[in-house]
Amino acid sequence: MKTMIKTGIAALGAAAVTAWSAPLTFNTALPVQEGGYVLREQFVFMKNADDPTPAGRDMKVSGLVSMLGYGVSRDFALFGMLPYVDKRLSMQMNGQEITRSARGFGDLTLLGRYTAYEHNAPGRTLRVAPFLGIKAPTGQDKARDASGLLPPPLQAGSGSWDALAGVVLTYQTLDFQIDSQLSYKLNRAANDFQAGNVAGFDTSLQHRLLPRNLGTGVPAFLYAVLEANFVHAARDRVRGIADADSGGRSLFITPGMQYVTRAWIVEAGVQMPVLQHPNGAALRNDYASLPGFASTSDVNRP
Amino acid sequence: MKFKLLTRNILTGFFLFLMAGGVLAASPAYRLYVDGLSCPFCAYGLEKKLGALKGVQRIETNIKDGAVIVTMQDGLALDEATAKKAVKDAGFTLRKLEAVQPIPPNKQEGHAK
């Protein structure tokens, strides 16, 4: 049970890193104008089941991830991500189905992204941006129910200060956009539990469907999106001992759509597992849906 | 005869006055060629940066050509260094700036500042 939602939480965190005109499940290197804000709201629903044990565990996580980005300078942007989550775990115990749940604000992630390389040409841009962040334990990590203290992965917060780092590459033209990201999340211990570190490789292709031919002005773009996410999660540690039923490797694909206007974006996607190799009896992921909305504003707005 | 000549002169003078007024009312405009501009969301950020410049009256972006036409208020000019900085702060690169034929107010379709 400790590990069943780990991948889901990782996906929730990854989704929170996304930004405007960007992949659905990870970051982009596109700029935030100096002094400008970008707000993104993403609804996430994940289902993890396919339990190999008699307990028949079924885990559902729904949440709203709020992301606010701010352009400190033309090359440096700060992002803050805060999820609100509702986690529910159902399982069979002594012939009866029991459900344990928790809800509330999760952990706040603060991320700094610096554009280290940039090449602009007519109608296209290539950017490479490393990023570094911390996750603060702002969420509740000692929630209880009638059965006692909820297990760490069911808590809204982890209770630990964690770090994440990575680099994202974006190549955008008027017709398509490619993003790729390498990331690593270093999880620390809290409450005798330490989630395994998570390494990820993500890539995304966005292709403009509409308008088919660009005319004058700035028309809204409709993009078809296809993303792939590879996640390697190390084993969790309970009181310093590795949990054999935790961690593993997964590959997901996420088809989706994005409608991008001057000032706002609506988007939707469904993340589905292609390959899953969980360790031991760790739960598999069924799917995650990722509808969302983004808008931008500017502190210098007249 | 004299009355007809006087009327013609008055009408001609009035017409020339209107013409001159129209030319004077047309604001100075510039076409900015911007590299790296490749999505609508990015165009918005650029327009906000340019719109914050003093004297900018109107902005019209053509994303296909990577061109932004900036119309200034009467008597105000846009120098290249200022435009370059605004474009840079928005995250893009100014390739070229050129003065263009002023756009008559009734034909402007861009976004007012």
Side-chain angles (χ1 to χ4, degrees), chain A residues 20 33-34 74 118 120-124 127 172-173 214 217-219 221 261-264 296 298 300-301, chain B residues 35-45 47-49 61-64 88-93 95 111:
Chain A
W20 63 107
Q33 57 165 315
E34 186 180 275
R74 77 176 304 273
E118 170 188 346
N120 293 323
R124 64 192 60 205
R127 292 162 191 266
Q172 185 188 55
T173 74
L214 288 176
V218 185
F221 285 9
T261 75
R262 264 190 163 88
W264 52 267
T296 183
D298 187 343
N300 298 321
R301 197 172 199 152
Chain B
D35 285 351
L37 189 61
S38 40
C39 79
F41 218 63
C42 305
Y44 185 83
E47 288 173 353
K48 295 309 297 181
K49 272 290 166 199
T61 303
N62 188 342
I63 198 166
K64 184 183 176 185
K88 187 180 175 186
D89 288 348
F92 305 98
T93 307
R95 181 162 30 100
H111 298 269

